[in-house]
Amino acid sequence: MAHLAIDDIDKQILAHLQDDGRMTNVDLAAKIGLTAPPCLRRVRSLEDAGVIQGYNARLDQAALGYGITIFAMVSLKSQAEGDLQAFEQHIAHLAEVRECHMLNGEIDFLLKIVAKDLQSFQDFLTSKLTPAPNVSSVKTSLTIRRSKYQPGVPLDV
């Protein structure tokens, strides 16, 4: 991954693409005051440097049958690097786990999990999560509603 100095034009590009990843290069160039070829070169440089890691569609999980979101706080029996990696590798293959963060402190991992309903979550919990390598305990919290969703990072433009 190449290192890239990010200037104000790059920040504008990133801000616009973060808001609308489907924006055409011509539209993006017009919004930031460049012509299309140099705008595209900058986007490619940002991609090559790993600053832009990919493009996704935001999906409505409820419309797709995933009616609940759960946060699970997982504590492991051992925090040896091999045990941490074994748990992470196990989690990487569980489609219901949408995010996994290793934490500092009493809890080792925070997971964001989606499920169709409480029964399917219970099945997931008892058959896939609690039997995972080295798991000591799992505490879960079911979300009531999401009041903010802002993907990406704040950009000073």
Side-chain angles (χ1 to χ4, degrees), residues 32-76:
I32 61 171
L34 288 178
T35 59
C39 181
L40 185 59
R41 280 194 297 274
R42 282 177 173 266
V43 170
R44 295 284 188 251
S45 292
L46 291 164
E47 291 171 344
D48 291 344
V51 175
I52 297 174
Q53 296 180 338
Y55 302 87
N56 336 57
R58 255 187 252 170
L59 306 179
D60 181 336
Q61 71 184 55
L64 295 168
Y66 291 90
I68 60 173
T69 301
I70 304 98
F71 286 93
M73 293 142 285
V74 180
S75 296
L76 300 182

Side-chain angles (χ1 to χ4, degrees), residues 61 65-74 91 94-99 110-131 137-143:
Q61 71 184 55
Y66 291 90
I68 60 173
T69 301
I70 304 98
F71 286 93
M73 293 142 285
V74 180
I91 292 302
L94 302 178
E96 298 90 342
V97 177
R98 306 313 298 166
E99 294 182 38
L110 176 66
L111 309 179
K112 178 182 174 187
I113 302 165
V114 297
K116 293 185 181 282
D117 53 35
L118 285 172
Q119 183 61 52
S120 63
F121 172 65
Q122 182 179 341
D123 294 343
F124 168 82
L125 183 65
T126 58
S127 67
K128 295 180 182 177
L129 185 55
T130 54
S137 69
V138 178
K139 298 176 184 176
T140 61
S141 291
L142 179 68
T143 63

Side-chain angles (χ1 to χ4, degrees), residues 7-27:
D7 63 16
D8 287 341
I9 293 173
D10 291 331
K11 287 180 183 178
Q12 289 179 52
I13 289 170
L14 294 169
H16 286 295
L17 288 177
Q18 188 169 250
D19 288 340
D20 180 6
R22 292 188 66 188
M23 179 181 298
T24 67
N25 183 60
V26 171
D27 290 341

